[in-house]
Amino acid sequence: MQKKTLLILIMMIATLISCNNSTQSESENVLSENNVPKNLNEALNQIDNDLSDSLKTEIRRMTESDFVSESHFGFGIGMRNEWKLWKDSDLSKYFNSIGINHPDDMSGIILTSFHRKLTENQIKLDEQIAYYKDYWDGVELTRLPEETEFPEQNLEFRVSRNYGHYTKDKKWGTVYIQTNPKTDYIWIYDYFYGWKKIDLTTKDKLDKAKIQQTESILNEIYSE
């Protein structure tokens, strides 16, 4: 029953993200690229104002861990994309200013803080920041280059895969995968390997690889 409730909840949030309400302008949707919050408080207030009371009741019934993990891909992807956390939005710059650099971490803090706000628990932002800083301590951050450094114009990278051996050598790589291909070839980027154009068969192989297989597959791709 709980899994069914979680599924319904995520579907409801996804619908709110993707659909325009006839009684609202686009800028009033739950997540809108035209109304990007400037900081955490604005983000929490925007979500709180736009979600229905019934949906918030369902969220309160979930544990914090379940809500954050189940929302990471549906609600979280919408948040990272529409609020341009992969780019230099005001919200992204806010998180950078407090030491949070990865979009997944930004959305994680927002989701965690929203659940705590709904359940009247302390947000404990300092503790959340410390958790992510400890996680990345000694790890080489591998961010996507600026668009001016892209090999072609109008490329979008909304999917990435992390890999590496954090506990072994503090290496944590990230390969970014183009999400708006116009042909049978797409671009990928990795800090340690650089740019590479691959076919869809190779992309499928990369998509299906387990995290411990990713680096060896990248070695094959970039050796060709």
Side-chain angles (χ1 to χ4, degrees):
M1 179 63 71
Q2 185 179 16
K3 289 185 177 180
K4 183 178 180 180
T5 300
L6 292 177
L7 178 60
I8 293 173
L9 173 61
I10 299 306
M11 290 176 64
M12 290 172 67
I13 294 178
T15 300
L16 285 169
I17 294 171
S18 61
C19 298
N20 288 336
N21 189 312
S22 60
T23 63
Q24 294 177 310
S25 66
E26 183 175 349
S27 64
E28 293 173 320
N29 289 335
V30 176
L31 299 177
S32 171
E33 62 181 8
N34 296 325
N35 190 24
V36 179
K38 292 182 173 58
N39 52 52
L40 178 60
N41 285 335
E42 287 191 10
L44 299 182
N45 289 335
Q46 185 171 325
I47 297 172
D48 186 56
N49 290 335
D50 291 336
L51 289 184
S52 67
D53 290 340
S54 60
L55 193 53
K56 285 186 281 190
T57 297
E58 292 298 326
I59 294 173
R60 289 189 188 94
R61 292 173 179 168
M62 300 171 67
T63 65
E64 178 183 304
S65 177
D66 282 344
F67 173 67
V68 174
S69 61
E70 293 292 335
S71 300
H72 177 75
F73 290 104
F75 198 21
I77 287 176
M79 187 182 301
R80 293 187 289 275
N81 291 343
E82 297 303 319
W83 285 351
K84 302 177 182 178
L85 298 183
W86 292 103
K87 300 181 180 180
D88 291 328
S89 68
D90 287 340
L91 186 56
S92 175
K93 291 177 181 177
Y94 159 78
F95 277 109
N96 292 163
S97 73
I98 60 175
I100 302 300
N101 296 296
H102 200 292
D104 284 350
D105 300 344
M106 299 175 194
S107 61
I109 288 177
I110 294 171
L111 291 169
T112 298
S113 300
F114 182 67
H115 188 275
R116 291 179 180 179
K117 178 180 178 179
L118 273 187
T119 53
E120 299 182 353
N121 288 308
Q122 293 184 356
I123 290 177
K124 297 182 179 179
L125 179 59
D126 289 342
E127 289 186 9
Q128 294 189 64
I129 294 171
Y131 167 81
Y132 288 109
K133 284 186 174 181
D134 287 344
Y135 177 83
W136 289 108
D137 182 35
V139 179
E140 187 166 9
L141 285 177
T142 54
R143 304 193 70 181
L144 190 66
E146 298 292 331
E147 290 186 22
T148 54
E149 301 178 44
F150 285 6
E152 295 178 5
Q153 294 182 339
N154 302 318
L155 300 181
E156 292 182 1
F157 296 87
R158 296 188 173 186
V159 173
S160 65
R161 288 177 59 90
N162 293 330
Y163 68 91
H165 303 283
Y166 170 74
T167 56
K168 181 179 179 181
D169 56 15
K170 297 292 185 181
K171 179 181 179 182
W172 191 257
T174 303
V175 55
Y176 296 88
I177 303 171
Q178 182 188 352
T179 52
N180 65 332
K182 300 295 191 298
T183 67
D184 291 335
Y185 290 86
I186 67 166
W187 283 98
I188 61 173
Y189 171 80
D190 183 279
Y191 173 84
F192 298 103
Y193 295 91
W195 294 98
K196 183 76 172 181
K197 184 176 280 189
I198 62 175
D199 58 33
L200 297 182
T201 300
T202 304
K203 174 186 178 296
D204 186 60
K205 182 179 180 181
L206 187 60
D207 288 340
K208 294 179 179 178
K210 296 180 179 179
I211 188 170
Q212 61 267 29
Q213 299 172 322
T214 301
E215 191 165 7
S216 63
I217 291 177
L218 288 174
N219 285 330
E220 293 177 10
I221 292 173
Y222 282 87
S223 65
E224 296 176 353

